[in-house]
Each structure stands twice: as structure tokens, then as C-alpha cells.
Amino acid sequence: MHGLIKSRQRLCIQASAVVASPSTSSQSAIKFRPCIDIHKGKVKQIVGSTLKDLPDKSGGEVELKTNFVSDKPSSWYSHLYQKDDLRGGHVIMLGADDASKATALEALRAWPGGLHMGGGVSTDNAVEYLDAGASHVIVTSYVFREGRLDEERLRALVRLVGKQRLVLDLSCRQRDGKYWVVTDRWQRFSTLSLSEATLAELAKSCDEFLVHGVDVEGMQLGIDDVLVEVLGKWSPIPVTYAGGARTLEDLERVKAAGAGRVDITVGSALDIFGGKLPYADVVTWHKQQQAQLHSK
């Protein structure tokens, strides 16, 4: 624990030393980005760090910690988000089985142009998801082969779908005073750590970043303030943070730490996913943020 505290202190010092450039200091309103996580054909909320790519017989299902399993179809959530005009949420397929793919496609077709699609995205299926209604595709493991950024695969995706329809998932875990991108169901540390230079270079190849704070994802333990802060200071393009948010106060913490430049996803804490935070309250908060920006 003492080592973790010292590590976070080093990160705070690093973040405080960054001076925002003109491209990262423009005013924008923080947005609530909703989610539809799919596993084994069902809309679920899980503890992300427990998701392992293991066959059932090896105990993978026993190790998986599930917070919520919905009895509603994925399209129900799509229509709900469409009604509240919550654009740019993400559909994440936590497994490559046929049932999960069918459920993901159902969500996309229910709101054409409203949602991003992630989970096993590659040059083989990206166009299919865009044709099904995704506004963007989200990619991680395909461009981080064997833990290293595969620049040729990234270029191939950009050529195929266009930079403006690509989101890079840079979900990360903390180690040795840095945040490292993790891939392969968040179990493999890559060789890429987050930095101002890293985000500036990757931003040339995508429209947005999606970053799960894997150490707190699905645990409702509160947000990773330091991670949000560095994202707000370093990212030159729109970025969405996910992980640990449980109250409206946590949303305000993201707004403050990210200087209004980091959008927020809430999953397990929402009442529509079995949690205690009213979805309606989060939507109201989201609309208040947009109204405050327009009134300035």
C-alpha cells in the first residue's frame, strides 16, 4: 500500500508539471457517455479485471465477477440513450461468440449513428459494424499485438474506415509510477505508457480515445483522479474515462480533475444496471453541463 501511495504521488507531480498547450485548453462541456457491455449474448456489468480469455473448463466463468445481468434486450438500452440524445456511448462485446455479436448488432441497428462499437474489432469486421449503424469502431488488442503497438495494423484500419471513425481504447493499469496500456481482456501489459507525446502521436490516427481505469473498473470505489487529470492535460482530442464512478459527486470530480475536457462513462453504479445511482439524475446532470457551456 505504501508503494502504491508513493507511486500515485509521483504521478501527481508528473501531471502537475504539464502545461496545457492551446490545443488542450479549449473550453468544452463534459459529457456522460453511456455503455452497453455484452457478454455471452447478455447485457452485463462485470469487474473488468476479472475477465480472462479462458475456456469454461479451466474455471474462467468461476473467476469472472459479474455485477449485473440484464433481462432486457440490448436494443432497449439503445432506444433509451437515443431518447435522451446521449450520443457517443459505447457498445463493448466482451467475447467473440455468435450470441454476443448478434446482441451487439441489435444494439447498433436500434440507433444508427448513435453508438461506438468495440470488442474484437479488426480489419475483418470493422466495416460490418459501421454498416450496421456504429458511428465509430473502437480498437485495442488488434493494434497491440503481443503487447506492442503494431503501427502497420493501425495504418491499415485508418485506410479502411478513416481516422474520423476510429476510437483507440487505451485502457490502462498503474505500474511503477506510470499508466501502461493493457490489452487482451486487460490482462497483458503493453510496452506503451501514457504520456503527452504518446497521446499526441496516437491522436494523428484516430478521432477519440476511450480509457478505462482498469484498477477501479466495475468496483464502484471512486474514480482514479490522477488518471483523469493526465488525460485532461495531455489528450489533444476528445477522451472518455471509465472506471469507479458511483455518485454525482464522482462526476463532478471528473469534471474538476479533467478540467472539463474528459467525458465520463458510468456503468455498474446506475440503477438501470442494478446500482443505486439514478440514471435520470445522470442525464439531468449531463444536460446541465451542456446548458452551462451554451450560456457562457
Side-chain angles (χ1 to χ4, degrees), residues 32-37 43 45 77 81 89-91 265-267 273:
F32 164 54
R33 303 286 196 104
C35 62
I36 304 174
D37 293 347
V43 175
Q45 286 291 312
Y77 293 94
Y81 303 155
H90 49 269
V91 178
T265 288
V266 186
F273 295 124

Side-chain angles (χ1 to χ4, degrees), residues 239-252:
V239 55
T240 298
Y241 166 84
R246 56 195 171 175
T247 64
L248 291 179
E249 289 73 21
D250 283 334
L251 305 190
E252 288 292 332

Side-chain angles (χ1 to χ4, degrees), residues 81-96:
Y81 303 155
Q82 182 180 29
K83 175 179 68 70
D84 293 317
D85 196 27
L86 298 173
R87 294 182 177 275
H90 49 269
V91 178
I92 301 294
M93 194 168 63
L94 304 170

Side-chain angles (χ1 to χ4, degrees), residues 213-289:
V214 177
D215 293 320
V216 296
E217 169 67 21
M219 298 182 185
Q220 298 187 48
L221 297 175
I223 68 162
D224 187 332
D225 298 85
V226 178
L227 177 55
V228 173
E229 182 180 356
V230 298
L231 292 175
K233 290 186 175 181
W234 289 343
S235 180
I237 59 176
V239 55
T240 298
Y241 166 84
R246 56 195 171 175
T247 64
L248 291 179
E249 289 73 21
D250 283 334
L251 305 190
E252 288 292 332
R253 283 173 58 191
V254 170
K255 179 181 177 180
R261 299 193 61 257
V262 180
D263 292 343
I264 177 67
T265 288
V266 186
S268 298
L270 291 177
D271 58 358
I272 60 172
F273 295 124
K276 297 180 179 179
L277 179 59
Y279 165 82
D281 289 356
V282 177
V283 173
T284 298
W285 178 87
H286 165 85
K287 292 180 178 179
Q288 288 173 344
Q289 309 312 305

